[in-house]
Amino acid sequence: MKTNRTEREKMTAGEPYKQFDPELIKRRVFMRQQLQEVNQITDNDDRNQRFKELLAATGDDFFVESSFKFDYGFNIHIGDHFYGNYDMTFLDTCPITIGDHCYFGPNIGLYTPVHPITAKERNADVEMGAPITIGNSCWFGGRVTVLPGVTLGDRVVVGAGSVVTKSFGDDVVIAGDPARIIREIKQD
């Protein structure tokens, strides 16, 4: 068993890691450079192909408007038939997994980093994280924020402006700050 794990390995596993590790800084700088260029591309096919090359995995049918931002890319896994509207931000210190047939409105934020509560730990530049998992056939209204550790089931609808702080199962409409179930969805 490997005992000297890299900061990247610890980060992806959700364990405490040093966010200013040289390898992680190098990757974030590389991503900022790439994203600045890719987000300026006006041709949809070219822009989306370039985004796909920066992510760990995507389905064939993948469409994202500009401006899409993320930290690393290697922790983002998106299923087939995905549409993301303008101004998405995915902070992918831990894995972000999105199922098939998902549609995101504008200004979506998926945030996996967890910063320590105590000032002493924060001042030591230690960060942690928790993965985000989104099921199949989900729809997010505009300005939805999903916090670390959340899992959403299949066919979940998230109302505009919601802050999702906890996990929910299949076939629900959630909304609010914090998000709560406002309706169950009966599937035909």
Side-chain angles (χ1 to χ4, degrees):
M1 184 168 147
K2 187 176 178 181
T3 56
N4 292 329
R5 297 179 347 134
T6 66
E7 296 304 306
R8 174 181 169 171
E9 290 169 330
K10 290 187 271 186
M11 175 188 78
T12 298
E15 299 169 3
Y17 71 96
K18 295 180 180 175
Q19 61 185 323
F20 296 112
D21 172 71
E23 176 192 4
L24 297 177
I25 290 172
K26 183 177 178 181
R27 179 66 178 194
R28 288 192 304 264
V29 168
F30 172 76
M31 278 298 129
R32 280 195 298 271
Q33 292 167 339
Q34 293 298 305
L35 292 172
Q36 184 175 19
E37 180 181 313
V38 175
N39 277 307
Q40 300 305 311
I41 297 172
T42 57
D43 180 79
N44 290 332
D45 292 335
D46 186 23
R47 183 182 63 256
N48 284 288
Q49 182 57 43
R50 294 281 303 279
F51 280 138
K52 288 172 74 169
E53 292 167 4
L54 296 173
L55 302 175
T58 68
D60 290 333
D61 186 7
F62 170 90
F63 189 98
V64 173
E65 304 285 359
S66 62
S67 162
F68 185 21
K69 299 177 218 98
F70 45 88
D71 287 324
Y72 302 102
F74 53 66
N75 279 331
I76 299 174
H77 308 265
I78 299 175
D80 206 15
H81 302 287
F82 177 80
Y83 174 79
N85 213 314
Y86 295 99
D87 299 317
M88 293 191 310
T89 302
F90 294 3
L91 301 184
D92 63 316
T93 59
C94 283
I96 294 173
T97 305
I98 300 168
D100 295 336
H101 294 279
C102 289
Y103 303 92
F104 287 7
N107 299 296
I108 301 300
L110 305 181
Y111 307 141
T112 66
V114 176
H115 296 278
I117 298 296
T118 67
K120 181 179 178 181
E121 290 176 302
R122 280 194 311 276
N123 293 346
D125 292 324
V126 173
E127 188 175 276
M128 298 159 294
I132 292 173
T133 303
I134 297 166
N136 296 312
S137 300
C138 293
W139 173 37
F140 288 18
R143 293 201 183 281
V144 168
T145 300
V146 179
L147 298 184
V150 167
T151 295
L152 297 178
D154 293 336
R155 299 170 302 279
V156 172
V157 176
V158 184
S162 296
V163 178
V164 185
T165 62
K166 65 180 186 176
S167 297
F168 292 92
D170 299 341
D171 300 310
V172 293
V173 177
I174 60 175
D177 181 1
R180 60 182 173 73
I181 296 174
I182 60 171
R183 180 177 164 201
E184 292 186 18
I185 303 169
K186 301 282 189 231
Q187 296 300 323
D188 297 331

